Structure formats: C-alpha cells, structure tokens
Amino acid sequence: NSEDVRCKCICPPYKDHSGHIYNKNVSQKDCDCLHVVEPMPVPGPDVEAYCLRCECKYEERSSVTIKVSSEILLA
C-alpha cells in the first residue's frame, strides 16, 4: 500500500489518567476522539470532557516516498 492514512489523536493527561497517543485507520470524517480512542480510558460521564482535550488530525503519507527518502539519507 503506497498511501497510508490514519487519524492520530493526542490526548493530554486527564484526572488520574496519563496522556496517550492513539492511531487508527479511519476515514477523514471519522477522525475524532469517539472513533479513534479505544478503549475509552474514562467512564461515560467523563467522555465528553476527555475528548474535548484531545487533538485529532487526519494524516496521509506515502510509504514509497518515505522509503526512498530514507534510502537517500542512508546512502
């Protein structure tokens, strides 16, 4: 697969939960905390507050470009 897509959510510490980075292959429209953060580290009443703190970004990258660039740098 030459195209890699993923959603990356960076969630800072919340109450007694440490910060965490979540990655998941989802469509751009599903790139949000509720679709990416699994398992949800907080109970139901805290989900909204937890998700509001998370920063989710949709990323597309080319594995071929990364591989070629790495080979050039190592040469």
Side-chain angles (χ1 to χ4, degrees), residues 5 8-9 14 28 33 46 48 50 56 72-73:
V5 295
K8 179 178 183 179
C9 291
Y14 177 77
Q28 190 168 6
C33 174
D46 287 332
E48 185 177 2
Y50 180 80
C56 298
I72 291 170
L73 289 173

Side-chain angles (χ1 to χ4, degrees), residues 23-55:
N23 292 301
K24 190 171 181 185
N25 292 331
V26 295
S27 66
Q28 190 168 6
K29 71 177 183 64
D30 289 335
C31 184
D32 59 41
C33 174
L34 292 175
H35 288 96
V36 176
V37 176
E38 290 180 356
M40 186 61 67
V42 297
D46 287 332
V47 169
E48 185 177 2
Y50 180 80
C51 281
L52 286 172
R53 299 169 59 90
C54 297
E55 182 181 336

